[in-house]
Amino acid sequence: MAQLPWLHQPLEAFCSLLKTKRIGHAYLVAMDMGYGGEQLTLALAKASLCTAVGYAGSCGFCKSCQLVEANNHPDLYRVEADGAQIKVDQIRTLCQKLTTTPQQGGRRVAFILNSERLNQASANALLKTLEEPGKDTILFLQANSPSRLLSTISSRCQRLHLEIPAKSVVRQWLHQELQISEDVAWCLPVVGGPLAVIEAVESGREQLLVSYRKAWLQSLSSGLLCDSLINVNEKQVSDALKVLYLVVHRILVKKQEVDPLTRVALANFAGKIMQVETRLSVMPTVNSLALFEGLTIEYRQLMSQ
């Protein structure tokens, strides 16, 4: 939390509510994990259980804080997706636990990560608890994509005021954290946030994305697919398509002289790329070579009109 300055304000605002006893029973934390959504959710949960909470968060020293740090607090419950979804049995178990008496004599606190992965059955199982959570119970629902969360769930949660930091702020933060001169913030839309950028840099994924960017620029210019795109495996198709979208978007920004009709077609083409990327999760298999060649040909035809 100390390393993510854009999370300080929402934590302070929540702690102010705690100290003035104006706390709600359910909160939606609409912040991607790549921007610190999980860290913020845990900090909010920890503050809710702290017996000496301050305006900047939990004290870190009381028994409750020590139990949370040890992952051993009996009144703190964590739920995350079992595979692609949060299943109904997980939520039923959670709701049952929230009816028990707090072992530490304070609050019972639960947080659900990636809550947009609640399916219809698990969401329905959670509704009654959201409506009648019981005394001294707080639920936090973190969501990477809050628009995908069922409205019956989101409408029953209060929202914290969260702001995604400007790209300039993230760029400066990444320079400080990584101690490098290169601008790695360009891949934010691909990996999902500054924390994910750091992970991508450390794992070598960012360099792979750079190679995709160079390959797409060359392929779109020549009409011939580069070797690095021909050899993309199934797990890398999503990254390659997201990079292609950024390349096409950059062309739209730079080529202001392109006639209006072509610009509209180019924007539609960029939208199509992301639609294809979104559908990847439900495709049984993907012929990436045919897909990439088709997109390259379509781009060339579009720009030659």
Side-chain angles (χ1 to χ4, degrees), residues 61-99:
F61 301 103
C62 69
K63 182 181 179 181
S64 178
C65 287
Q66 294 299 309
L67 286 170
V68 174
E69 287 295 326
N71 294 318
N72 199 31
H73 199 297
D75 300 318
L76 178 62
Y77 308 103
R78 173 188 178 120
V79 176
E80 52 190 317
D82 179 9
Q85 295 184 329
I86 298 172
K87 298 176 180 176
V88 65
D89 288 345
Q90 293 177 271
I91 298 301
R92 286 173 178 163
T93 299
L94 171 66
C95 294
Q96 180 61 40
K97 289 178 178 178
L98 291 176
T99 63

Side-chain angles (χ1 to χ4, degrees), residues 221-260:
S221 176
S222 67
L224 299 174
L225 210 58
C226 291
D227 288 344
S228 57
L229 293 174
I230 292 173
N231 297 320
V232 167
N233 65 46
E234 199 163 306
K235 292 181 179 179
Q236 298 166 335
V237 174
S238 177
D239 277 357
L241 287 173
K242 289 177 181 177
V243 171
L244 174 58
Y245 170 82
L246 293 181
V247 168
V248 174
H249 185 267
R250 183 61 179 165
I251 291 170
L252 258 174
V253 172
K254 291 183 69 175
K255 291 185 177 293
Q256 294 295 324
E257 74 281 3
V258 174
D259 71 85

Side-chain angles (χ1 to χ4, degrees), residues 75-78 94 98 108-112 138-141:
D75 300 318
L76 178 62
Y77 308 103
R78 173 188 178 120
L94 171 66
L98 291 176
R108 292 161 301 181
V109 177
F111 62 96
I112 302 174
I138 304 178
L139 290 90
F140 298 98
L141 279 66

Side-chain angles (χ1 to χ4, degrees), residues 232-302:
V232 167
N233 65 46
E234 199 163 306
K235 292 181 179 179
Q236 298 166 335
V237 174
S238 177
D239 277 357
L241 287 173
K242 289 177 181 177
V243 171
L244 174 58
Y245 170 82
L246 293 181
V247 168
V248 174
H249 185 267
R250 183 61 179 165
I251 291 170
L252 258 174
V253 172
K254 291 183 69 175
K255 291 185 177 293
Q256 294 295 324
E257 74 281 3
V258 174
D259 71 85
L261 288 178
T262 301
R263 289 182 65 80
V264 170
L266 200 55
N268 290 337
F269 178 65
K272 175 183 176 179
I273 294 167
M274 291 312 297
Q275 288 174 1
V276 172
E277 192 281 328
T278 301
R279 291 199 299 268
L280 285 178
S281 60
V282 296
M283 292 181 182
T285 57
V286 180
N287 185 335
S288 59
L289 178 59
L291 174 61
F292 293 171
E293 285 181 339
L295 290 171
T296 301
I297 292 169
E298 185 174 346
Y299 172 84
R300 297 277 295 177
Q301 291 174 340
L302 185 157

Side-chain angles (χ1 to χ4, degrees), residues 1-244:
M1 282 291 298
Q3 296 177 333
L4 304 174
W6 53 87
L7 301 185
H8 294 173
Q9 190 279 329
L11 178 58
E12 289 174 3
F14 180 78
C15 289
S16 178
L17 294 174
L18 277 173
K19 290 181 73 65
T20 54
K21 303 186 186 304
R22 293 182 291 129
I23 203 69
H25 67 270
Y27 288 87
L28 175 60
V29 184
M31 169 84 58
D32 192 286
M33 287 191 181
Y35 281 89
E38 181 175 355
Q39 287 90 331
L40 177 58
T41 305
L42 181 57
L44 296 170
K46 189 175 178 181
S48 301
L49 291 166
C50 179
T51 57
V53 66
Y55 285 103
S58 56
C59 71
F61 301 103
C62 69
K63 182 181 179 181
S64 178
C65 287
Q66 294 299 309
L67 286 170
V68 174
E69 287 295 326
N71 294 318
N72 199 31
H73 199 297
D75 300 318
L76 178 62
Y77 308 103
R78 173 188 178 120
V79 176
E80 52 190 317
D82 179 9
Q85 295 184 329
I86 298 172
K87 298 176 180 176
V88 65
D89 288 345
Q90 293 177 271
I91 298 301
R92 286 173 178 163
T93 299
L94 171 66
C95 294
Q96 180 61 40
K97 289 178 178 178
L98 291 176
T99 63
T100 61
T101 302
Q103 294 185 40
Q104 292 297 308
R107 295 186 176 94
R108 292 161 301 181
V109 177
F111 62 96
I112 302 174
L113 300 177
N114 293 129
S115 57
E116 67 268 36
R117 295 190 184 184
L118 288 162
N119 57 35
Q120 189 69 55
S122 55
N124 288 339
L126 184 62
L127 278 178
K128 185 175 181 180
T129 298
L130 284 176
E131 292 169 346
E132 303 173 15
K135 185 181 179 182
D136 296 325
T137 300
I138 304 178
L139 290 90
F140 298 98
L141 279 66
Q142 180 271 334
N144 286 350
S145 304
S147 61
R148 290 171 50 201
L149 188 63
L150 294 172
S151 59
T152 52
I153 298 295
S154 59
S155 63
R156 287 166 172 79
C157 298
Q158 297 186 41
R159 284 201 179 214
L160 296 170
H161 179 68
L162 302 173
E163 291 185 1
I164 298 299
K167 193 171 183 179
S168 58
V169 173
V170 172
R171 185 178 291 111
Q172 181 180 3
W173 182 81
L174 287 169
H175 283 321
Q176 292 173 346
E177 291 296 312
L178 293 169
Q179 296 294 302
I180 58 175
S181 58
E182 301 98 299
D183 179 15
V184 293
W186 75 271
C187 66
L188 275 169
V190 179
V191 299
L195 294 178
V197 171
I198 289 180
E199 184 180 337
V201 170
E202 293 176 345
S203 67
R205 181 185 175 196
E206 191 266 340
Q207 284 302 308
L208 183 62
L209 298 178
V210 169
S211 73
Y212 291 157
R213 183 172 61 178
K214 292 177 180 177
W216 277 121
L217 285 168
Q218 185 177 336
S219 299
L220 296 180
S221 176
S222 67
L224 299 174
L225 210 58
C226 291
D227 288 344
S228 57
L229 293 174
I230 292 173
N231 297 320
V232 167
N233 65 46
E234 199 163 306
K235 292 181 179 179
Q236 298 166 335
V237 174
S238 177
D239 277 357
L241 287 173
K242 289 177 181 177
V243 171
L244 174 58

